[in-house]
Amino acid sequence: MDIIVNGLSKLYGAQKALDAISFHVKTGEIVGFLGPNGAGKTTAMKIITCYLAANSGEVKVGDYSVKDSPQEVKRHIGYLPEHNPLYLDMPVMDYLEFSALLQGVEKNRVKERIREMIKKCGLNVEKHKKIGELSKGYRQRVGLAQAMIHDPAVLILDEPTTGLDPNQIVEIRKLIKELGKEKTVILSTHILPEVEATCDRILIISKGKIVADGTSDTLRKKSQGQEVLKVKIEEGNKMDILQALQQLETVALADAVAGAENVFEIQSKGNWSSKRNVFKLCVERNWILTEAIPYETKLEDIFRDLTI
Amino acid sequence: MRQIIIIAKRELQAFFDSLVAYIMLAAFLGFSGFFTWLYGADVFLRNQADLQTFFGIAYWTLFFFIPALTMKMLAEEKKTGTIELLFTKAITDWQIVFGKFLACLALVFIALLFTVPYYLTVWKLGPVDHGAVFCGYLGLIMMSATYISIGIFASSVTNNQIVAFLFSLFAGMFFHILFDVLARSFTGGLAETLSYLSVSSHYDSISRGVIDSKDIIYFLSVIFMALFLSEVSLAKRNLQS
């Protein structure tokens, strides 16, 4: 089920939480909302899940509009809200049954769905406890289980991995990736490696606007102008090496790194790579290349560039 | 309808899980039993096979107990954020409000069921006017439903349970006695209006054994109004701009 968001705006008083954002999420895509605190990620999710109404703009989930047929939209969405609110005085099993029935799962299928969710989310040991007695990680799993209990075509997860330990994070990511094969998933996070690990596409939101949209590779390519290489060349005179490097035709700028023996930073001309030339040069002069590290633009840098 | 029942069932379950139901049942039966059978103008003193004493006591005990039942209904959900879960499920705001209303009403109904032995005992003691007893129960249920809907409205405007409790008690006080008292100090149309607004006048006429459509319409319209306002106050989240 596709999600089409068109010119969505939301005002909180005079503050613009969302400023005419538009995007399209296709079936089977996992999209990560990335953005600093207060960027509008949660607001966008709340509007898609029919919790809040937008001031203007349109959201369509499949063929259903959020404004005209919210009940149909909600039936097809599984939602894990921020902070994962739960009925703490309810046992896990009862709570899942309650969620399943509310979402219109047929009575004879409820048991089967609960069993499946408990298995998928690893809740078997804790299933008879009250939710209030569970640790944060297990509560998060209950939250995920209730979101998926009716087998929705769309999953909207607001910071799904907060509070989980590293093992659980890996498990939940795996689960999300698996689900994402057939479902449409939107998740929000401000943990950058998380989007890289799980999402097919990244939307960076800042101050209510979408500032970047693409896979992590395309985003990286976009912000990365020139190749930057750090090399260590031994058995040669520092000045000679530096001079030779500067004369290579693909090199824009070469510089010795201060404080290190024979370590150089080489910036190539736009769209060129100097790796081969550096290697050839070393072979010609009998220098020994012991290190060559390409500088990768990290998602962190892109994020900082775009949101500050 | 199915969704309303699911919500009502969960809320009723929550009452019994959290001791609220047991305390309420014990206190209600304790108070009403004590005053009906043992103390003051009890059945034996009146020397009449009727339940008028019980209805008079229950009229007050329910008035105080109901806000304690309704106060957490929406206020707690708003405070803990679980209301967001409900709002994003495939149900309408009205189903949420009405489901919670039904849960409270069901608990009051259970409490009243436990007083059926009073009726059977009185029946054993002498000739009882079955119609009057039926009307008395009907009046109690109507009155309870009215205060429950007011309580749910009070719970929908705040996320603090104590505020919800006091607000519903305060609002209930007007319907319970103040409109009646005020009506007596005015004359003419104003007095009539105030008297019509008072729950006590309608309750009295029903529990006396007269089922008048005027009274039923009064109760139903207050219930409907209060529940409608609760729904509006929940929908208010979308009018913040």
Side-chain angles (χ1 to χ4, degrees), chain B residues 28 57-68 70 140 143-144 147-148 150 165 168-178 199:
Chain B
F28 173 70
I57 296 298
Y59 178 70
W60 279 98
T61 38
L62 286 175
F63 171 69
F64 282 107
F65 284 142
I66 283 170
T70 56
L140 280 182
M143 179 206 83
S144 305
Y147 290 133
I148 289 167
I150 292 172
F165 176 79
S168 67
L169 211 55
F170 180 70
M173 199 61 95
F174 277 89
F175 288 94
H176 211 62
I177 40 173
L178 287 182
V199 163

Side-chain angles (χ1 to χ4, degrees), chain A residues 5-284:
Chain A
V5 173
N6 205 350
L8 199 63
S9 292
K10 174 77 189 170
L11 296 164
Y12 291 124
Q15 196 191 357
K16 252 192 180 166
L18 286 179
D19 191 358
I21 64 165
S22 305
F23 57 88
H24 183 177
V25 185
K26 288 196 261 329
T27 311
E29 209 174 15
I30 305 178
V31 168
F33 276 7
L34 202 60
N37 298 331
K41 292 170 294 195
T42 299
T43 306
M45 290 183 151
K46 281 182 173 169
I47 293 171
I48 298 172
T49 54
C50 308
Y51 176 62
L52 287 177
N55 290 87
S56 63
E58 188 185 35
V59 179
K60 274 189 135 182
V61 176
D63 295 329
Y64 306 110
S65 150
V66 160
K67 214 180 278 166
D68 302 330
S69 37
Q71 298 310 319
E72 283 303 319
V73 170
K74 288 194 270 187
R75 194 178 296 279
H76 292 101
I77 288 183
Y79 178 41
L80 172 70
E82 200 185 13
H83 310 311
N84 188 22
L86 296 164
Y87 293 112
L88 299 183
D89 51 358
M90 269 180 114
V92 175
M93 297 280 274
D94 290 5
Y95 178 61
L96 291 180
E97 188 185 342
F98 173 66
S99 303
L101 289 173
L102 273 190
Q103 285 291 35
V105 175
E106 282 158 47
K107 260 216 163 108
N108 49 5
R109 286 197 56 228
V110 169
K111 282 237 164 70
E112 175 200 327
R113 287 298 304 164
I114 293 176
R115 214 174 305 134
E116 203 180 323
M117 280 304 110
I118 283 188
K119 207 172 115 199
K120 248 187 188 158
C121 299
L123 282 165
N124 201 27
V125 198
E126 313 276 352
K127 67 182 171 193
H128 293 298
K129 279 193 189 165
K130 279 189 179 180
I131 295 173
E133 295 165 5
L134 300 182
S135 69
K136 189 156 187 229
Y138 274 106
R139 286 186 198 182
Q140 197 72 15
R141 291 167 187 230
V142 175
L144 275 170
Q146 67 80 25
M148 299 185 299
I149 191 102
H150 56 299
D151 200 16
V154 176
L155 269 177
I156 299 200
L157 311 171
D158 204 345
E159 304 194 358
T161 54
T162 41
L164 299 180
D165 68 40
N167 293 335
Q168 293 170 332
I169 290 180
V170 172
E171 270 172 48
I172 294 293
R173 281 183 192 162
K174 217 170 84 194
L175 181 66
I176 293 172
K177 278 210 104 154
E178 209 182 288
L179 290 167
K181 281 177 196 154
E182 49 204 83
K183 297 182 196 304
T184 316
V185 182
I186 296 182
L187 61 90
S188 83
T189 178
H190 41 240
I191 308 167
L192 297 160
E194 178 152 304
V195 271
E196 283 208 87
T198 38
C199 301
D200 304 322
R201 205 172 115 207
I202 301 170
L203 288 176
I204 300 183
I205 302 181
S206 176
K207 293 174 192 140
K209 286 192 171 125
I210 293 179
V211 289
D213 179 355
T215 63
S216 58
D217 285 342
T218 55
L219 287 186
R220 205 175 278 133
K221 259 184 207 138
K222 238 184 236 168
S223 74
Q224 188 176 38
Q226 301 119 327
E227 181 194 78
V228 178
L229 204 62
K230 194 167 127 189
V231 293
K232 187 170 182 184
I233 298 172
E234 287 174 7
E235 307 206 351
N237 183 286
K238 195 172 174 180
M239 291 318 287
D240 289 347
I241 298 173
L242 193 61
Q243 215 173 15
L245 285 175
Q246 255 160 357
Q247 275 158 7
L248 288 174
E249 56 177 0
T250 55
V251 172
L253 188 77
D255 204 2
V257 174
E261 190 89 3
N262 286 7
V263 180
F264 306 92
E265 224 175 59
I266 305 166
Q267 211 181 74
S268 307
K269 289 175 183 156
N271 293 332
W272 287 92
S273 171
S274 314
K275 288 175 203 154
R276 289 165 157 269
N277 288 348
V278 171
F279 179 77
K280 277 181 193 156
L281 177 78
C282 293
V283 173
E284 265 170 37

Side-chain angles (χ1 to χ4, degrees), chain A residues 51 53 74 79 85 87 146, chain B residues 77 84-85 87 89 237-238:
Chain A
Y51 176 62
K74 288 194 270 187
Y79 178 41
Y87 293 112
Q146 67 80 25
Chain B
E77 301 237 18
E84 192 171 346
L85 285 171
F87 282 153
K89 297 270 187 279
R237 67 184 187 276
N238 288 326

Side-chain angles (χ1 to χ4, degrees), chain B residues 77-151:
Chain B
E77 301 237 18
K78 289 209 285 186
K79 188 156 208 162
T80 57
T82 46
I83 197 85
E84 192 171 346
L85 285 171
L86 285 183
F87 282 153
T88 53
K89 297 270 187 279
I91 47 174
T92 59
D93 294 3
W94 173 255
Q95 286 170 329
I96 297 171
V97 169
F98 200 70
K100 286 174 182 281
F101 167 78
L102 277 189
C104 296
L105 192 59
L107 185 59
V108 170
F109 192 76
I110 291 169
L112 290 178
L113 271 187
F114 278 109
T115 65
V116 168
Y118 298 0
Y119 163 58
L120 298 177
T121 313
V122 169
W123 191 3
K124 207 77 181 153
L125 291 174
V128 88
D129 181 350
H130 300 293
V133 173
F134 173 77
C135 288
Y137 276 113
L138 182 70
L140 280 182
I141 287 173
M142 279 300 187
M143 179 206 83
S144 305
T146 306
Y147 290 133
I148 289 167
S149 59
I150 292 172

